[in-house]
Amino acid sequence: MSRDTLLRILDLARWAPSGDNTQPWRFEIVTDHHVAVHGYDTREWCVYDFEGWASQLAHGILLETLRIAATNFGLETVWQLRSDSEDCHPVYDVHFSEFNGLPADPLFPFIEKRVVQRRPMRAIPLSESQRQGLVSAIEPGYKLQFFETFAERLKLAKLLWDNAHIRLTCPEAFEVHRQIIEWGSRYSKDRIPEQAVGIDPLTGKLMKWVMKKWSRANFFNRYLLGTILPRIQLDAIPALMCSAHVIVRTRLPLISVVDRVHAGVAIQRLWLTVTSLGLYLQPEMTPLIFRWYARSGRRISSLSRVNQEVGQLAGRLESLIPDDQGELVFLCRIGHSSEPKSRSIRKGLSELMNDGS
Ligand SMILES: Cc1cc2nc3c(=O)[nH]c(=O)nc-3n(C[C@H](O)[C@H](O)[C@H](O)COP(=O)(O)O)c2cc1C
């Protein structure tokens, strides 16, 4: 395999999604057949990256994208977590080998097309073949649970409504929101552009002003019903305007970094399959993340009111799912829509290289 082919594979893999478009990875070309992916996480500054779990899911998404991209060049991919790497800086050794007659993965054409859709979608029911396509997209170690009827979507809408109250009134989350939105943009290389957030331009202007200072946001939330407008636009309406909400659960407990990386593989297969079916998807990860906090007994905030709400929300989420030993790894909504006009783009390949090549 030539260096040029390797660079093309890495260039495609850049399109892997990550929470808040953080792209928590750097590539090191060790040989033309061996890339070391230096993962990291954002738990230091991002309250949503609970113990690095969201980043580890993203690492799995990236590794699966690399694997799928490589099949287009007749290459088989094997990766493993370097045994001496730390949980917060996992290094994945990825080896490519020529495999005569290896067909391109059917999901290959969708690597660059896949995109998050945060705006309301059309609530056309999923067909049986679409549902089956999604179920068979991922390995038997995972289960999908669909919430499709109006009553089920309403239940999710209520959960997401209360979930958003936590997000918007938690000072630790406020700092994250401030950092990850690129205001006034349609595209963003390393964040989420304002136009992809899903708010109308007027609410956007207001949010930008309110989000300048926590004291301002806090006052607005407390006395001027400041969470209502964004919650209607970003949570309630989109939660109803979709074909289904889907939870991905593991059958067994998630214990190690590798378990979470494998869950990321499943998430990317599901998301690319959604794209291949002509549908769109938005992850709705914060209820799950809040549950991860609640289950581990870790406090998310310095405010006890926020921690209490997180505990209650986790309980409500649990009441929606069967009581088994698995872990929730993904919650999303899926629907019919036109292509979003705004999206996150990516850092250039040279910025993602940590060996100067
Ligand atoms: C692990 C993970 C968690 C995410 N959580 C959310 C979420 O809770 N809400 C949301 O709107 N988008 C979420 N996203 C979507 C990312 O923000 C999005 O994929 C990223 O900004 C890149 O944009 P793109 O998917 O359009 O390429 C998540 C993505 C990943 C991989």
Side-chain angles (χ1 to χ4, degrees), residues 201-234:
L202 211 67
T203 311
K205 280 207 170 73
L206 185 67
M207 271 176 74
K208 182 180 176 188
W209 180 80
V210 167
M211 283 173 67
K212 281 240 153 71
K213 282 193 269 181
W214 168 244
S215 55
R216 193 181 282 178
N218 197 27
F219 178 85
F220 207 70
N221 289 343
R222 225 181 237 194
Y223 301 109
L224 300 173
L225 302 176
T227 67
I228 299 289
L229 210 56
R231 280 201 283 169
I232 291 174
Q233 287 186 34
L234 298 180

Side-chain angles (χ1 to χ4, degrees), residues 47 169-173 214 299-307:
V47 75
T169 61
C170 172
E172 291 81 0
W214 168 244
R299 294 163 61 83
I300 193 167
S301 174
S302 55
L303 299 182
S304 49
R305 191 240 337 132
V306 171
N307 295 311

Side-chain angles (χ1 to χ4, degrees), residues 4-125:
D4 193 43
T5 303
L6 186 56
L7 291 174
R8 283 172 71 192
I9 294 170
L10 294 177
D11 198 44
L12 282 161
R14 285 183 313 126
W15 290 99
S18 51
D20 300 328
N21 199 22
T22 46
Q23 302 159 68
W25 42 70
R26 292 293 177 271
F27 303 127
E28 177 197 352
I29 297 180
V30 183
T31 69
D32 283 351
H33 287 79
H34 176 191
V35 171
V37 174
H38 295 265
Y40 58 91
D41 67 52
T42 59
R43 69 181 95 178
E44 287 283 308
W45 63 270
C46 180
V47 75
Y48 297 123
D49 203 358
F50 170 78
E51 296 189 354
W53 286 23
S55 290
Q56 291 158 14
L57 293 178
H59 298 160
I61 292 175
L62 172 82
L63 292 167
E64 180 61 3
T65 315
L66 268 171
R67 191 197 66 74
I68 293 171
T71 62
N72 193 51
F73 302 90
L75 296 165
E76 195 180 45
T77 306
V78 176
W79 61 262
Q80 64 181 39
L81 177 67
R82 205 174 276 179
S83 56
D84 59 355
S85 59
E86 294 168 33
D87 279 11
C88 55
H89 285 110
V91 180
Y92 308 93
D93 286 300
V94 184
H95 293 271
F96 302 97
S97 52
E98 274 93 10
F99 185 109
N100 259 348
L102 182 76
D105 191 296
L107 295 175
F108 173 77
F110 306 101
I111 290 178
E112 289 171 278
K113 284 200 179 123
R114 185 218 51 78
V115 63
V116 58
Q117 174 55 288
R118 297 191 181 87
R119 295 191 183 265
M121 299 189 258
R122 288 187 291 281
I124 304 168

Side-chain angles (χ1 to χ4, degrees), residues 14-23 25 48 53-58 61 111-112 114-118 167 180 191-193 196-197 267 271 281-287 289 292 329-331 340 342-346:
R14 285 183 313 126
W15 290 99
S18 51
D20 300 328
N21 199 22
T22 46
Q23 302 159 68
W25 42 70
Y48 297 123
W53 286 23
S55 290
Q56 291 158 14
L57 293 178
I61 292 175
I111 290 178
E112 289 171 278
R114 185 218 51 78
V115 63
V116 58
Q117 174 55 288
R118 297 191 181 87
R167 272 197 298 112
I180 57 145
R191 279 169 288 162
I192 299 176
V197 171
I267 292 169
W271 202 338
L281 178 154
Q282 177 186 13
E284 302 168 311
M285 286 298 279
T286 46
I289 294 166
W292 295 341
V329 290
F330 199 55
L331 168 62
S342 162
R343 70 162 303 168
S344 290
I345 47 173
R346 298 294 188 270

